[in-house]
Amino acid sequence: DIVMTQSPDSLAVSLGERATINCKSSQSVLYDSNNKNYLSWYQQKPGQPPKLLIYWASTRESGVPDRFIGSESGTDFTLTISSLQAEDVAVYYCQQYYITPYTFGQGTKVEIK
Amino acid sequence: EVQLVQSGAEVKKPGESLKISCKAYGYSFSTYWIGWVRQMPGKGLEWMGSIYPADSHTRYSPSFRGQVTISADKSITTAYLQWSSLKASDTAMYYCVRRITISGVVSHFDYWGQGTLVTASS
């Protein structure tokens, strides 16, 4: 199985400041057919299902604010919230959908400092 | 508008059987993979398996193979997750999720159901 390791497990950031979440995959998730990394980021607020933010490692889902930025370098992936808003308090997960079993990171809890 | 609408919360005793559902609206149900994701209380997300409704081809996570059965009924655009004998450890929230195809290539999971809470307790 591909292991997805997120860091940190939690972070507290002041409103308007940058939040950075890292995710490392234990092997490549690059899909040769379209040269895309098969890596998504989700946001989950309490009592809600996960919400897709980013797919193909860096493509923002329609309707997602542009303060959410996905980046990639080999098997290292990053989700950056460029200017944290109060409504961004949530748990964030990365997921690889390259090969079964599709696996998620353990989650990163983002809070306001 | 794409929607996945799941059946309501269930409370069962260990050893009982259960089948929960996920009804799809707003897209061609048969030609998109649809899967199930487990979230145990206070824990992370685990992909359980998926089904391609057009031919009922299924894929299971090794962790869930033999523990659950995933099925689909194209005629009523509904996917199912079932247990023949629940365990207390099956207590969790279960989400159905659609996998999108872009330019003929299967890609990411986009739409999620609202979740079905299953409680197995004596």
Side-chain angles (χ1 to χ4, degrees):
Chain A
D1 299 4
I2 297 178
V3 178
M4 308 300 291
T5 304
Q6 288 183 230
S7 61
D9 290 334
S10 64
L11 74 161
V13 175
S14 300
L15 288 172
E17 296 299 306
R18 175 175 301 195
T20 301
I21 302 168
N22 300 299
C23 173
K24 185 174 182 65
S25 60
S26 62
Q27 64 189 75
S28 173
V29 296
L30 183 66
Y31 194 60
D32 291 343
S33 292
N34 54 15
N35 199 37
K36 302 285 190 185
N37 276 303
Y38 269 27
L39 186 286
S40 285
W41 289 97
Y42 298 94
Q43 174 194 66
Q44 188 177 32
K45 297 180 180 179
Q48 296 184 19
K51 174 188 175 184
L52 176 67
L53 298 176
I54 302 284
Y55 60 94
W56 291 341
S58 59
T59 300
R60 200 176 297 115
E61 173 71 338
S62 176
V64 173
D66 60 7
R67 64 180 181 274
F68 291 94
I69 302 163
S71 59
E72 57 199 298
S73 176
T75 58
D76 292 300
F77 304 91
T78 301
L79 176 68
T80 301
I81 309 172
S82 60
S83 176
L84 191 75
Q85 305 300 304
E87 62 266 31
D88 301 334
V89 169
V91 178
Y92 293 84
Y93 295 94
C94 62
Q95 182 216 8
Q96 67 82 14
Y97 49 94
Y98 174 67
I99 193 169
T100 60
Y102 307 122
T103 45
F104 294 85
Q106 79 275 19
T108 295
K109 187 174 185 178
V110 174
E111 299 172 306
I112 305 295
K113 185 187 292 182
Chain B
E1 179 194 4
V2 174
Q3 286 189 77
L4 299 175
V5 179
Q6 297 185 226
S7 50
E10 301 275 1
V11 179
K12 293 285 190 179
K13 290 181 167 44
E16 292 185 331
S17 63
L18 176 64
K19 191 174 189 177
I20 62 175
S21 66
C22 170
K23 183 164 176 63
Y25 297 90
Y27 73 96
S28 177
F29 177 73
S30 293
T31 56
Y32 288 78
W33 286 86
I34 190 161
W36 291 91
V37 172
R38 182 176 79 173
Q39 188 167 38
M40 299 177 77
K43 302 298 184 183
L45 304 167
E46 303 171 271
W47 175 79
M48 303 173 70
S50 296
I51 188 166
Y52 190 68
D55 58 11
S56 291
H57 181 59
T58 53
R59 293 177 178 169
Y60 290 94
S61 166
S63 298
F64 293 94
R65 185 184 301 275
Q67 308 304 309
V68 296
T69 301
I70 294 171
S71 60
D73 185 336
K74 292 182 292 187
S75 68
I76 55 172
T77 66
T78 300
Y80 300 97
L81 177 66
Q82 68 181 88
W83 295 260
S84 59
S85 179
L86 281 163
K87 305 180 184 68
S89 57
D90 292 320
T91 294
M93 182 71 80
Y94 294 87
Y95 296 101
C96 61
V97 57
R98 187 186 81 157
R99 189 169 186 189
I100 195 171
T101 297
I102 298 177
S103 301
V105 180
V106 178
S107 189
H108 53 282
F109 299 91
D110 57 354
Y111 284 91
W112 293 62
Q114 82 278 17
T116 297
L117 180 62
V118 173
T119 303
S121 173
S122 53

